[in-house]
Amino acid sequence: GACALCGDESADWFACDRCALAIAMPWDRAGERGPQARPATLTGPHDGGSPRDLSVLGDIALSGMLATGQVERLAFPSRRRAQRRLRAYLDHGLVRACLQGEAMHRDSVWTATSAGLEFLADRGARLEGVRPYRPNARSQKLLHGLLVREVTVSLLIAERAGLLAIEDLRHDSDLAGVAAFAAAGLVPDGLAVVRRDGRTVPLVWEAVSPRQPFGQVHAKLLAYDRAVAGGDGFFRQAELAILFAFESRPRLERFSALAVGPGLRARVHALAVDEVRDAGGLVERLIPGTGDFRPVPWLVPGRWPYASPDAVAVPNGEDSGRRHLFSLASWRAASGRLRIVDARTRRV
């Protein structure tokens, strides 16, 4: 077997002794450090962490919580590399790990500790209003919260690929006091303000988990419909995009059949979670670009060529599969943001 948290293959249960202790006794409390299974270091100038370490820790702090797979999508070429670095952060008390209730087969969930936030602040990170997030590992809302973060992760990936710039990014706990939402009687799961091609686009999104009552989803859609039809300036913005992200495709199809007013119909988008994870496709769907680039559906994980999340755009003129295959090098040189990875070795 292998440890579900750090990937240590010597473990014969869901968590090795070191990680099990970390779950039982969070290490950011004074004097509660367990035995070191192996030395762990943060590489970088003066052992202060590499730029990638700082980026990952910042992403966890900004998002509140991230699952192992989401951290892998953001910064690492493989799951094993992600697990090892997260283990190093855990050894230094910068993050806390928890399991998703009794579901030992699911990804571990990582949150920043007070020490982690201090570590980032000491290195110049801007963390106004960011606090350690403490999810309830046994709550049904945990799965919903992780689905909300799928959109967050894709937006961060899109920004690093040069597809957009994020000016504001918040989640539901930070949006309850926003006047526009309070007046409309709703609180979105997430809000982002992004810039692309000289345009400023406000994006709000809702995550729909399989166990969420469909009547609740319908009621929220109607609230958005009323807000767009007669709301204040925020909901009247022509560039406003509203996204509903579904984990269940049957629910997505049922949602798509609901009737809405003409004002909302132009702004609302419903996508499955696998479509949300395609960062480039998500951006093109919500904020169509003005250039001569478009998403390519066949660049998907598990097929050759395998495309990383930022490899999503090619010139419109190349419609033939054979042309796609033989002109990838020139596109990479032209765009500077296309990476092709061998599906077997995961090498660029």
Side-chain angles (χ1 to χ4, degrees), residues 19-167:
C19 294
L21 180 64
I23 296 169
M25 299 190 303
W27 293 5
D28 56 327
R29 300 177 184 173
E32 292 189 353
R33 294 187 62 89
Q36 294 281 345
R38 64 168 69 90
T41 59
L42 293 179
T43 57
H46 311 293
D47 290 332
S50 68
R52 182 170 65 178
D53 288 331
L54 299 178
S55 175
V56 171
L57 290 168
D59 291 340
I60 294 174
L62 176 66
S63 303
M65 63 177 176
L66 289 175
T68 304
Q70 293 170 335
V71 174
E72 178 191 354
R73 284 181 60 208
L74 278 166
F76 296 95
S78 70
R79 184 178 183 82
R80 176 60 58 85
R81 294 272 299 272
Q83 288 172 328
R84 287 178 176 172
R85 294 314 295 159
L86 287 167
R87 171 65 178 269
Y89 308 152
L90 189 67
D91 285 344
H92 283 76
L94 303 178
V95 297
R96 180 184 292 105
C98 68
L99 299 178
Q100 297 186 41
E102 302 296 333
M104 301 174 186
H105 62 285
R106 290 179 178 161
D107 277 0
S108 301
V109 179
W110 304 87
T111 62
T113 63
S114 299
L117 296 181
E118 270 184 45
F119 179 85
L120 290 170
D122 290 344
R123 286 151 184 81
R126 298 175 59 188
L127 299 170
E128 294 85 354
V130 177
R131 303 177 303 277
Y133 188 80
R134 298 180 181 273
N136 184 348
R138 297 183 180 276
S139 170
Q140 296 296 333
K141 292 184 178 181
L142 181 60
L143 285 175
H144 177 267
L146 291 175
L147 183 56
V148 172
R149 270 68 180 180
E150 292 290 355
V151 180
T152 304
V153 169
S154 289
L155 291 176
L156 291 172
I157 290 172
E159 182 178 45
R160 286 160 195 175
L163 301 178
L164 51 77
I166 299 175
E167 296 185 347

Side-chain angles (χ1 to χ4, degrees), residues 1-2 14 22 92 103 158 178 188 196 215 242 258 266 281 299 311 320 347:
F14 76 94
H92 283 76
V178 177
R196 188 182 193 202
I242 302 170
L258 297 176
L299 285 176
S320 153
R347 292 180 179 175

